[in-house]
């Protein structure tokens, strides 16, 4: 054989692949087995091995088909698969390309239900600690259900009959079909944004698990869990249980039961009010009688009979306290007055007014002293002057002239001697009261021993 007689691996693989493609039995196969080596790729494709007790086959489910699964394929799960068998050229291995997958023995929805329930339970969405209390007397009740079903009628009728004071706010909601879950979720969030309702009833009438499946969707469960308004689930009949029932704050077996749980019964309330009113009346009557008797005893008691004795010690204490207060006040005032006087003395001592007054007094004293000394000096001077004056008067020629003496002047010179005169001289003789001119006719010189 020549080298041209050998096929390449690729050519052989393509040949085998064409054989697989041409075989109609391999285009649509139904096979059952146990899942092994399940790997969910980030692209969404699922790679796994399907095996039984003696054989195994690699399998792939692409994202387009995998996204339609209602459950999550897990290790060891027995499944029914419909698909085709073909060759993966890169590895030269044949494998099963799954189109659909159903769990063996139980439905896929039930598996999905259990898987979602287990996962949400692990996250704590069913934790009783997160359950919100249902208001005892709601003013507004939001109802999320279909407006065409019997559930809305049962809910409204029950609420109106039991508690007509409550207002019913209906959010028309799809409760079945492909768009039901998003619509339920949207209306739950819408009711929370509105904030009108005190409690929400989310539910519908009975049906198959497929009919009720919207209430098993994860988005509905999370919307109920995140609702700030308490949610009562009312899905199907009493035997139907959905994920919404586990997440809801309160689960009702039927829509009618949900309405009964949402509102009180006004007849029962009325009976309760009457009962409490009766009990209250009895209690008040008993209390009044007790207090009346107590009042009578107190009024007749010794202290109230002589009430002044009750406050006598207080009066005495008040008097003592008042006296102590007065004494303390006086002592305080005296001390303060003493301090004030001391301060006032210091102020006066160092005050400019005081210094001015002292200086003024000193000035007046010195003025008075000086005046006295001046007066004394004047008196002494006056006496001396008087003495001098007397002396001058005694020595005054005019005084002598008053006694008859006169003074002769010659040419305005006093003539002291007769020798100064000559016969014929004209002299002026001054008298006490005037003068006269005279002419010397004769002079006489006095001799010694001659009498004047």
């Amino acid at each position: 054989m020549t080298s041209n007689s050998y096929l390449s691996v690729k050519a052989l693989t393509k040949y085998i692949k064409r054989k697989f493609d041409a075989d109609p039995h391999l285009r649509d196969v139904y096979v059952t087995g146990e899942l092994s080596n399940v790997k969910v790729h980030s692209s969404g494709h699922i790679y796994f091995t399907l095996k039984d007790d003696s054989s195994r086959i690699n399998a792939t489910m692409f994202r387009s088909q995998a996204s339609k699964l209602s459950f999550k394929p897990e290790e060891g799960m027995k499944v029914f698969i419909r698909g085709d068998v073909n060759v993966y050229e890169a590895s030269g291995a044949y494998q099963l390309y799954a189109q659909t997958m159903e769990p063996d023995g139980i439905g896929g929805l039930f598996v999905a239900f259990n898987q979602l329930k287990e996962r949400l339970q692990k996250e704590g969405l069913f934790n009783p600690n997160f359950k919100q209390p249902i208001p005892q007397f709601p003013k507004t009740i939001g109802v999320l259900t279909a407006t065409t079903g019997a559930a809305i009628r049962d809910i409204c009728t029950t609420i109106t009959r039991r508690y007509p004071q409550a207002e019913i706010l209906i959010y028309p909601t799809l409760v079945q079909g492909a768009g039901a879950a998003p619509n339920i979720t949207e209306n739950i969030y819408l009711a929370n944004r509105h904030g009108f309702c005190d409690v929400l009833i989310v539910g519908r009438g009975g049906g198959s698990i497929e009919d009720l499946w919207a209430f098993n969707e994860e988005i509905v469960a999370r919307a109920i869990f995140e609702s700030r308004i308490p949610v009562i689930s009312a899905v199907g009949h009493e035997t139907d249980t959905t994920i919404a029932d586990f997440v809801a704050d309160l689960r009702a077996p039927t829509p009618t039961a949900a309405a009964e749980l949402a509102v009180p019964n006004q007849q029962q309330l009325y009976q309760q009010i009457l009962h409490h009113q009766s009990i209250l009346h009895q209690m008040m009557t008993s209390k009044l009688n007790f207090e009346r008797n107590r009042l009578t005893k107190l009024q007749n008691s010794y202290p109230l009979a002589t009430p002044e004795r009750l406050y006598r010690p207080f009066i005495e204490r008040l008097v003592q306290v008042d006296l102590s207060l007065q004494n303390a006040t006086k002592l305080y005032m005296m001390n303060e007055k003493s301090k004030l006087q001391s301060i006032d003395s210091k102020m006066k001592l160092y005050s400019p007014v005081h210094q001015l007054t002292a200086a003024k007094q000193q000035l007046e004293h010195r003025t008075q002293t000086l005046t006295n000394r001046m007066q004394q000096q004047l008196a002494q001077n006056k006496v001396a002057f008087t003495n001098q004056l007397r002396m001058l008067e005694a020595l005054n020629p005019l005084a002598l002239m008053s006694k008859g003496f006169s003074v002769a002047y010659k040419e305005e010179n006093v003539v002291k001697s007769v020798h100064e005169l000559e016969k014929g001289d004209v002299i002026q003789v001054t008298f006490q009261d005037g003068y006269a001119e005279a002419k010397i006719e004769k002079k006489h010189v006095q001799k010694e021993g001659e009498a004047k």
Side-chain angles (χ1 to χ4, degrees):
M1 294 182 64
T2 64
S3 60
N4 294 332
S5 301
Y6 292 89
L7 295 174
S8 64
V9 176
K10 179 178 181 182
L12 180 58
T13 304
K14 283 187 176 292
Y15 176 77
I16 296 173
K17 187 176 189 305
R18 282 198 295 271
K19 288 294 184 180
F20 276 80
D21 292 337
D23 190 339
H25 298 290
L26 297 178
R27 293 178 186 174
D28 190 15
V29 298
Y30 293 82
V31 59
T32 182
E34 180 180 328
L35 296 178
S36 178
N37 297 325
V38 179
K39 297 178 181 178
V40 180
H41 196 266
S42 58
S43 61
H45 307 323
I46 302 175
Y47 302 96
F48 57 94
T49 300
L50 191 64
K51 66 179 183 179
D52 55 18
D53 294 338
S54 56
S55 301
R56 62 180 58 204
I57 182 173
N58 293 329
T60 300
M61 177 175 269
F62 293 119
R63 182 179 60 185
S64 57
Q65 286 78 30
S67 61
K68 298 178 182 177
L69 292 178
S70 58
F71 67 99
K72 180 182 178 181
E74 294 180 344
E75 196 78 12
M77 182 181 291
K78 291 184 177 180
V79 295
F80 293 108
I81 293 179
R82 179 188 177 189
D84 62 281
V85 179
N86 213 315
V87 175
Y88 181 51
E89 295 183 47
S91 62
Y94 73 92
Q95 62 179 8
L96 176 63
Y97 293 90
Q99 300 296 325
T100 63
M101 183 187 298
E102 291 291 337
D104 183 12
I106 56 176
L109 293 179
F110 184 73
V111 173
F113 173 84
N114 286 329
Q115 290 177 345
L116 180 60
K117 177 184 173 184
E118 182 180 358
R119 183 156 53 86
L120 296 183
Q121 188 171 18
K122 289 180 179 177
E123 293 184 20
L125 269 69
F126 305 158
N127 192 332
N129 295 331
F130 296 140
K131 303 294 184 186
Q132 301 182 88
I134 306 301
Q136 189 174 4
F137 304 104
K139 296 180 180 177
T140 304
I141 301 168
V143 180
L144 280 69
T145 189
T147 56
T148 56
I152 184 66
R153 184 180 63 252
D154 295 342
I155 292 173
C156 294
T157 302
T158 303
I159 293 176
T160 304
R161 173 176 50 82
R162 287 175 57 87
Y163 196 66
Q165 296 86 348
E167 181 181 356
I168 301 173
L169 185 58
I170 298 174
Y171 288 88
T173 306
L174 291 175
V175 294
Q176 182 176 340
N183 190 236
I184 295 171
T185 303
E186 180 182 353
N187 281 345
I188 291 175
Y189 289 134
L190 180 63
N192 277 269
R193 287 196 300 271
H194 288 166
F196 299 145
C197 302
D198 300 310
V199 63
L200 296 179
I201 296 176
V202 181
R204 52 153 291 158
S208 65
I209 187 171
E210 289 80 6
D211 296 337
L212 306 180
W213 190 251
F215 295 91
N216 288 321
E217 294 285 354
E218 183 175 354
I219 57 174
V220 175
R222 295 195 180 280
I224 293 174
F225 182 76
E226 295 172 0
S227 174
R228 299 188 306 274
I229 304 174
V231 175
I232 300 176
S233 67
V235 183
H237 301 298
E238 187 170 0
T239 55
D240 298 324
T241 303
T242 64
I243 296 295
D245 293 330
F246 292 106
V247 183
D249 298 294
L250 183 62
R251 187 246 175 178
T254 62
T256 301
E260 293 176 347
L261 293 173
V263 296
N265 188 324
Q266 66 171 356
Q267 293 299 328
Q268 294 179 355
L269 291 176
Y270 181 68
Q271 294 299 327
Q272 290 179 1
I273 292 173
L274 292 178
H275 177 66
H276 290 308
Q277 185 179 11
S278 176
I279 294 176
L280 185 61
H281 183 267
Q282 293 178 2
M283 291 176 60
M284 292 303 297
T285 302
S286 176
K287 184 68 174 176
L288 286 174
N289 291 334
F290 174 78
E291 295 297 337
R292 189 177 290 110
N293 293 333
R294 186 164 168 262
L295 176 61
T296 302
K297 290 181 180 179
L298 291 174
Q299 289 175 340
N300 297 330
S301 62
Y302 176 75
L304 291 181
T306 55
E308 68 278 1
R309 297 185 180 181
L310 291 175
Y311 49 80
R312 183 180 297 168
F314 299 100
I315 294 177
E316 294 174 353
R317 184 179 178 185
L318 177 62
V319 173
Q320 293 177 355
V321 172
D322 184 62
L323 290 174
S324 299
L325 178 62
Q326 291 181 6
N327 295 331
T329 302
K330 290 180 180 178
L331 180 60
Y332 175 79
M333 293 299 293
M334 290 175 62
N335 292 333
E336 293 301 318
K337 187 176 180 180
S338 176
K339 293 179 181 178
L340 182 61
Q341 289 175 348
S342 176
I343 295 172
D344 184 64
S345 300
K346 292 180 180 179
M347 291 292 294
K348 289 181 178 179
L349 181 62
Y350 297 104
S351 173
V353 176
H354 176 71
Q355 294 179 358
L356 287 173
T357 303
K360 185 178 180 180
Q361 292 176 353
Q362 186 176 7
L363 178 62
E364 290 176 352
H365 175 70
R366 292 182 178 179
T367 302
Q368 185 63 36
T369 302
L370 182 60
T371 302
N372 294 335
R373 290 182 178 178
M374 289 295 295
Q375 289 177 350
Q376 291 177 359
Q377 188 64 37
L378 286 174
Q380 292 175 358
N381 292 341
K382 186 176 181 180
V383 172
F385 176 76
T386 302
N387 294 334
Q388 292 293 332
L389 184 59
R390 288 176 179 175
M391 184 179 294
L392 289 174
E393 286 179 351
L395 298 177
N396 188 2
L398 296 177
L400 295 175
M401 293 173 68
S402 63
K403 294 179 179 179
F405 297 95
S406 59
V407 180
Y409 293 89
K410 178 182 177 183
E411 297 177 355
E412 298 181 357
N413 295 321
V414 177
V415 179
K416 298 179 181 180
S417 175
V418 71
H419 295 291
E420 297 176 0
L421 298 174
E422 297 294 338
K423 185 179 178 181
D425 291 341
V426 179
I427 63 173
Q428 186 177 23
V429 182
T430 303
F431 300 94
Q432 178 184 1
D433 51 356
Y435 67 89
E437 290 182 352
K439 187 176 180 179
I440 299 302
E441 296 291 339
K442 183 180 176 184
K443 72 178 182 179
H444 175 77
V445 180
Q446 183 178 358
K447 299 178 180 175
E448 291 184 2
E450 185 181 7
K452 297 181 180 177

mmCIF file of all heavy atoms in Angstrom, residues 102 115 144 240 359 393:
data_model
loop_
_atom_site.group_PDB
_atom_site.id
_atom_site.type_symbol
_atom_site.label_atom_id
_atom_site.label_comp_id
_atom_site.label_asym_id
_atom_site.label_seq_id
_atom_site.Cartn_x
_atom_site.Cartn_y
_atom_site.Cartn_z
ATOM 1 N N GLU A 102 -35.838 14.948 31.609
ATOM 2 C CA GLU A 102 -36.849 14.837 32.655
ATOM 3 C C GLU A 102 -36.322 13.921 33.747
ATOM 4 O O GLU A 102 -35.664 12.912 33.466
ATOM 5 C CB GLU A 102 -38.155 14.240 32.091
ATOM 6 C CG GLU A 102 -38.889 15.152 31.128
ATOM 7 C CD GLU A 102 -39.472 16.365 31.822
ATOM 8 O OE1 GLU A 102 -39.693 16.310 33.042
ATOM 9 O OE2 GLU A 102 -39.700 17.388 31.137
ATOM 10 N N GLN A 115 -35.840 21.558 44.765
ATOM 11 C CA GLN A 115 -34.520 22.212 44.711
ATOM 12 C C GLN A 115 -34.617 23.677 45.128
ATOM 13 O O GLN A 115 -33.791 24.177 45.904
ATOM 14 C CB GLN A 115 -33.951 22.089 43.294
ATOM 15 C CG GLN A 115 -33.532 20.677 42.930
ATOM 16 C CD GLN A 115 -33.056 20.576 41.509
ATOM 17 O OE1 GLN A 115 -33.289 21.483 40.690
ATOM 18 N NE2 GLN A 115 -32.372 19.484 41.183
ATOM 19 N N LEU A 144 -54.018 40.563 45.250
ATOM 20 C CA LEU A 144 -53.324 40.316 43.994
ATOM 21 C C LEU A 144 -53.789 38.972 43.454
ATOM 22 O O LEU A 144 -53.326 37.908 43.900
ATOM 23 C CB LEU A 144 -51.802 40.306 44.205
ATOM 24 C CG LEU A 144 -51.088 41.644 44.294
ATOM 25 C CD1 LEU A 144 -51.444 42.374 45.579
ATOM 26 C CD2 LEU A 144 -49.574 41.448 44.227
ATOM 27 N N ASP A 240 -52.696 22.014 48.416
ATOM 28 C CA ASP A 240 -51.674 22.578 47.533
ATOM 29 C C ASP A 240 -50.698 23.416 48.354
ATOM 30 O O ASP A 240 -51.113 24.286 49.123
ATOM 31 C CB ASP A 240 -52.325 23.456 46.449
ATOM 32 C CG ASP A 240 -53.251 22.644 45.572
ATOM 33 O OD1 ASP A 240 -52.929 21.470 45.309
ATOM 34 O OD2 ASP A 240 -54.303 23.181 45.161
ATOM 35 N N ALA A 359 -7.579 119.041 101.956
ATOM 36 C CA ALA A 359 -6.747 120.169 101.507
ATOM 37 C C ALA A 359 -7.447 121.495 101.702
ATOM 38 O O ALA A 359 -6.823 122.500 102.085
ATOM 39 C CB ALA A 359 -6.397 119.967 100.025
ATOM 40 N N GLU A 393 3.522 163.675 116.452
ATOM 41 C CA GLU A 393 2.704 164.826 116.846
ATOM 42 C C GLU A 393 3.385 165.645 117.947
ATOM 43 O O GLU A 393 3.281 166.856 117.995
ATOM 44 C CB GLU A 393 1.337 164.305 117.335
ATOM 45 C CG GLU A 393 0.453 163.822 116.195
ATOM 46 C CD GLU A 393 -0.863 163.305 116.705
ATOM 47 O OE1 GLU A 393 -1.028 163.159 117.939
ATOM 48 O OE2 GLU A 393 -1.748 163.022 115.858
#
